[in-house]
Amino acid sequence: MFSAYETHANKRINDYEKYLEGVVAQEFTFPKKFVSHGFVPTTDVSSDKQIATKMFTIRADLFPSHYSDTISGKGIKEVANDWIQNAVDANSSLKPIGIVGVVNDIEKNSNQWLNSLVTFSEKHEQGKKADDFTYPLSFDDVKSYFTKLSSPTPLSIGLAILAYIFMLLSWYTMPRKSRSLGSITTAKYEIVL
C-alpha cells in the first residue's frame, strides 16, 4: 500500500511540475491563468523560484514529516512496516495468541493507514485537479475461524481428558513429606559480648 502511495504521489509531483512549467511558458499568452495559479508576474522573484516554492509545498503536502521518519522510526510508514514484520514473526513462530491478535487488528490497522494516505492525497494544489489516492483492501473472513462457536469434537474431548489424567498422575506419583516447610524449627542465636 505504501509503495503504491509513493508511486501515486511521485506521479502527481511530476505532473504538477510539468503543468506549472506550461503555465509559466504561457505567462504572456494567458496572464489571468498565470495569476490564478498563484504566480506573481511583477516581482523580483523569478518564475523558476516560484515553481520551486510550489514544488516544495506539494512535496510537503503529499509526504508530510510524519509520513516517514527513518531516523526515529516513528513515521506512519515505519510503524506500519514494524507492525507487519511483527505479525509475520508471530505467524511464522506459531504463537497462538499472536496470531489471534494479528487477525483481530490487521483490518483495523490497514484501514487506519489507508485513511491517513488518502487524507494526505486530498490536499490539492492551486489550479490543478488531481485524483485522490485509492487502494483496494480486501480481507478474507479469517475471523470466523477464530470466533465460530461450536460443540467440541470427540477428539478434543479425548485429548482434554488425557491431559487432565497426566496432570493428576504427576500429582499422585510425586513423593511428599509429612511435615511442611513452615514447621522447620529455626536455630537459636546467642549474642556473645
Side-chain angles (χ1 to χ4, degrees):
M1 171 173 32
F2 288 95
S3 61
Y5 175 75
E6 289 170 3
T7 302
H8 168 81
N10 287 327
K11 183 179 181 321
R12 270 185 58 183
I13 289 169
N14 292 335
D15 290 348
Y16 188 60
E17 186 172 23
K18 290 176 186 172
Y19 179 77
L20 291 177
E21 289 170 354
V23 169
V24 168
Q26 298 174 350
E27 174 183 1
F28 299 110
T29 310
F30 299 105
K32 287 183 181 179
K33 183 178 182 182
F34 184 78
V35 172
S36 70
H37 284 75
F39 288 102
V40 181
T42 58
T43 63
D44 295 333
V45 180
S46 70
S47 296
D48 291 336
K49 287 184 180 179
Q50 291 182 48
I51 288 175
T53 302
K54 292 179 182 304
M55 295 310 298
F56 177 80
T57 303
I58 191 172
R59 283 187 188 93
D61 287 345
L62 295 176
F63 295 112
S65 61
H66 61 282
Y67 170 74
S68 180
D69 188 359
T70 55
I71 296 170
S72 69
K74 298 297 180 190
I76 292 171
K77 181 180 176 181
E78 288 79 23
V79 169
N81 287 335
D82 289 346
W83 187 89
I84 290 169
Q85 186 59 47
N86 290 338
V88 168
D89 292 344
N91 287 337
S92 64
S93 64
L94 297 176
K95 296 178 185 173
I97 294 175
I99 293 172
V100 173
V102 168
V103 169
N104 287 335
D105 293 341
I106 191 166
E107 187 172 0
K108 176 185 67 135
N109 289 345
S110 297
N111 284 326
Q112 286 177 350
W113 299 325
L114 179 61
N115 289 338
S116 295
L117 297 177
V118 169
T119 302
F120 297 157
S121 74
E122 287 175 343
K123 296 178 181 172
H124 298 284
E125 303 309 314
Q126 187 174 1
K128 176 73 171 152
K129 299 284 184 192
D131 295 332
D132 294 337
F133 177 68
T134 58
Y135 191 80
L137 288 178
S138 63
F139 296 97
D140 295 332
D141 193 17
V142 179
K143 286 184 183 179
S144 65
Y145 293 110
F146 293 98
T147 59
K148 185 177 179 183
L149 296 177
S150 61
S151 59
T153 63
L155 176 65
S156 63
I157 293 172
L159 290 174
I161 291 171
L162 185 64
Y164 185 69
I165 289 171
F166 281 134
M167 287 189 294
L168 287 178
L169 183 64
S170 68
W171 186 78
Y172 282 118
T173 59
M174 290 298 297
R176 288 182 280 289
K177 295 183 180 177
S178 62
R179 75 178 179 176
S180 65
L181 293 176
S183 65
I184 297 175
T185 58
T186 58
K188 295 181 181 180
Y189 297 99
E190 292 181 17
I191 300 176
V192 178
L193 296 175

